[in-house]
Amino acid sequence: MATLFSSSSSLNDLLGELDRDSYIPLLAKLIGEAKYVQNNPDDKEDPLIPEEDLVARHVVEALLPVSTDTNGGPLVVSTVSYAKGRSNVIVEYPGTDPNRAISFVGMHMDVVPADPNEWTFDPFSLSIVGDELRGRGTTDCLGHVALVTELMRKLGETKPKLKSSVFAVFICNEENASVTGISVEQLAKDGYLDKLKNGPLYWIDVADKQPCIGSGGMVVWHLEATGKLFHSGFPNKAINAMELNMEALKVIQTRFYKDFPPLPQEEDYKYATPSTMKPTQWSYPEGSVNQIPGKCEISGDVRLTAFYSPTDAAKKLQEYVDDINANVEDLDTRGPMSKYVLHEEGGDLKGRLEITFDQDITAGIACDITSRGYKVLYEATKEVIGYVEPYADTGTLPLVRDLQDQGFDVQLTGYGINDVYHANDEYCLFSDMSQGYEVFVRIISKLEGDDN
């Protein structure tokens, strides 16, 4: 029998606190699968393709006793798979008003790789030291998978009569962008998430217990310089591809920062940094130290705040390179024999640049900080954590901007530890996860109190 509430405090009391005796055993099962859900299919030597079904199985088993599948409760639990062994799990606690919804989305069932030789404890089994819960995925994101599973289980057990349906969407393949069409983007395309547009969508995959109100866009670029290889004792007969690339990159970066300066709204969103463009990798053909290289490639990325278009940035970079190629002789040189045009008997040989981009160009997100969904998150965070410090950064959340563009009120929060995201010796705190549970309960309570 469902319980009807006259106040949000009674709902808070009914749902109570995070049950440690239930949460820890579930998390232990999930971390025990972490070895098999490492996601790095692009590694040429040791490709890792996760089997998220291993995690999904534990989620479904935890909820089965309070699901419609067993007639034990009201939860509607379904799995959707677009690739073998790689399911998404959608859970619904039905409300009475079909036009109201609250959703928790983004808890992903894959993890980044972990090398046990570089850890001080076993990454693939849960260990507990005081408040610390240790293992790969505790912060990102299996700790959140267990947390939201516990929230849905408690709703199924207590059966409060809610106006809003409460949804949880556990997803596969968040940690890799080269495989597409099997995760939340396909769920949205196929209509599985349509009901979630009837209320705020809380994306649970950030850290430090505060609302993240902005993320970054990203363009990965590769700048190849072609010169002329020759013996270093005869620099007059060479075009040094290294020098060409370094000088060209300096021009490109200078122009980028003029075209993509800091914006006033970045301060409003508390972005930690403005938009940036920088090199991160360097490569060239192997050869002798006495050879001036004829090829050189510098790779890096552009990180943009949500108020700039990454597609526009890529077009600008191409424009810069085209301008340099048309006027390569105007680049700064490095000494009397440094040059980018070689006068030969057969005609002038010019150094040349080519810029290419990775296929996945990601846009950032600026959450709607005027929406009811954000205001409720803000209030609940302040009540539970004791303070609110919204933040933004140029880390990427590739799947989130697409949801916002499709009309979802996406808000971002999470309860892991930012300093150990994708790091060795990953851990989370049970006390943080407990506070996360309480924030979720208060979000539901506050939204239930709304008249419409």
Side-chain angles (χ1 to χ4, degrees):
M1 178 178 178
T3 305
L4 183 64
F5 295 96
S6 59
S7 69
S8 61
S9 61
S10 54
L11 179 58
N12 293 342
D13 292 340
L14 183 73
L15 296 178
E17 300 177 347
L18 179 62
D19 185 348
R20 182 183 179 95
D21 292 336
S22 180
Y23 178 79
I24 296 296
L26 175 58
L27 182 60
K29 291 178 182 179
L30 304 188
I31 302 304
E33 307 288 6
K35 181 177 181 180
Y36 309 106
V37 294
Q38 297 176 93
N39 196 346
N40 189 14
D42 302 319
D43 189 317
K44 295 180 180 179
E45 295 183 359
D46 184 23
L48 296 171
I49 301 174
E51 300 176 63
E52 288 95 342
D53 278 5
L54 298 172
V55 171
R57 171 171 56 91
H58 296 300
V59 172
V60 172
E61 288 178 353
L63 300 177
L64 202 58
V66 289
S67 75
T68 56
D69 290 335
T70 60
N71 294 319
L75 295 185
V76 180
V77 181
S78 59
T79 58
V80 182
S81 178
Y82 298 101
K84 184 178 180 180
R86 310 198 65 184
S87 291
N88 305 276
V89 181
I90 303 174
V91 184
E92 177 184 0
Y93 180 81
T96 60
D97 186 341
N99 296 314
R100 296 179 62 152
I102 306 164
S103 59
F104 301 94
V105 184
M107 302 77 61
H108 57 89
M109 299 180 288
D110 59 333
V111 301
V112 295
D115 182 351
N117 296 321
E118 297 179 357
W119 287 50
T120 61
F121 50 84
D122 182 2
F124 303 128
S125 65
L126 182 68
S127 55
I128 304 172
V129 179
D131 195 28
E132 291 188 4
L133 308 177
R134 299 176 169 183
R136 175 56 91 212
T138 47
T139 270
D140 181 29
C141 188
L142 300 179
H144 291 121
V145 171
L147 175 61
V148 177
T149 300
E150 287 298 301
L151 174 68
M152 301 306 291
R153 182 185 63 80
K154 197 62 172 286
L155 285 169
E157 288 179 349
T158 57
K159 303 181 180 68
K161 187 175 181 180
L162 302 179
K163 291 171 284 187
S164 300
S165 295
V166 180
F167 294 88
V169 182
F170 305 90
I171 63 173
C172 69
N173 198 50
E174 193 275 340
E175 296 291 7
N176 176 266
S178 64
V179 177
T180 60
I182 67 171
S183 186
V184 68
E185 74 279 12
Q186 196 65 36
L187 294 176
K189 182 178 180 180
D190 289 346
Y192 288 103
L193 307 184
D194 286 353
K195 293 180 182 178
L196 278 58
K197 292 181 180 179
N198 293 325
L201 184 157
Y202 296 98
W203 186 269
I204 312 302
D205 185 27
V206 293
D208 291 351
K209 305 186 292 187
Q210 295 297 318
C212 176
I213 56 177
S215 72
M218 183 173 71
V219 180
V220 177
W221 52 266
H222 308 277
L223 183 66
E224 183 180 70
T226 300
K228 182 181 179 182
L229 182 148
F230 214 83
H231 192 290
S232 64
F234 303 90
N236 55 310
K237 296 181 178 291
I239 296 176
N240 192 319
M242 280 186 172
E243 293 183 353
L244 171 57
N245 221 345
M246 287 188 286
E247 291 298 336
L249 182 59
K250 180 180 178 181
V251 171
I252 292 169
Q253 286 181 287
T254 300
R255 292 185 63 176
F256 172 86
Y257 286 112
K258 288 181 179 178
D259 289 338
F260 298 89
L263 298 172
Q265 54 266 53
E266 293 169 5
E267 293 185 12
D268 297 337
Y269 272 76
K270 304 182 188 299
Y271 268 94
T273 69
S275 299
T276 59
M277 180 207 174
K278 62 277 182 192
T280 58
Q281 293 181 333
W282 176 279
S283 63
Y284 53 90
E286 293 185 8
S288 171
V289 71
N290 64 3
Q291 286 181 314
I292 295 174
K295 291 279 189 181
C296 172
E297 182 175 276
I298 302 176
S299 298
D301 65 15
V302 168
R303 296 278 180 159
L304 298 166
T305 62
F307 310 107
Y308 285 117
S309 162
T311 303
D312 288 347
K315 290 179 180 177
K316 280 291 185 182
L317 295 187
Q318 183 64 63
E319 179 183 311
Y320 306 156
V321 170
D322 290 344
D323 288 348
I324 293 171
N325 280 332
N327 302 280
V328 69
E329 62 274 7
D330 295 337
L331 279 179
D332 287 345
T333 55
R334 301 188 170 203
M337 287 294 102
S338 180
K339 59 195 171 305
Y340 310 118
V341 178
L342 193 61
H343 301 291
E344 296 183 328
E345 291 183 3
D348 290 346
L349 175 66
K350 292 187 176 183
R352 184 165 182 82
L353 301 166
E354 180 182 5
I355 192 165
T356 57
F357 305 98
D358 282 4
Q359 183 176 359
D360 297 306
I361 294 179
T362 304
I365 179 175
C367 296
D368 181 358
I369 57 177
T370 67
S371 77
R372 178 62 176 153
Y374 174 72
K375 292 177 180 178
V376 165
L377 173 60
Y378 188 101
E379 293 167 3
T381 300
K382 187 172 184 179
E383 292 171 5
V384 175
I385 309 301
Y387 65 94
V388 189
E389 292 182 357
Y391 70 95
D393 57 43
T394 53
T396 58
L397 293 168
L399 303 174
V400 173
R401 176 60 183 266
D402 291 342
L403 292 175
Q404 187 185 56
D405 289 344
Q406 294 172 52
F408 295 90
D409 175 22
V410 180
Q411 304 295 332
L412 313 173
T413 192
Y415 301 90
I417 308 293
N418 190 59
D419 287 347
V420 296
Y421 250 76
H422 293 195
N424 296 334
D425 290 347
E426 181 182 348
Y427 69 96
C428 69
L429 301 179
F430 178 78
S431 58
D432 289 347
M433 292 295 173
S434 296
Q435 288 181 317
Y437 179 90
E438 189 174 349
V439 169
F440 296 163
V441 170
R442 289 182 183 239
I443 285 172
I444 297 170
S445 297
K446 289 176 182 295
L447 291 170
E448 275 298 294
D450 289 351
D451 293 330
N452 49 54

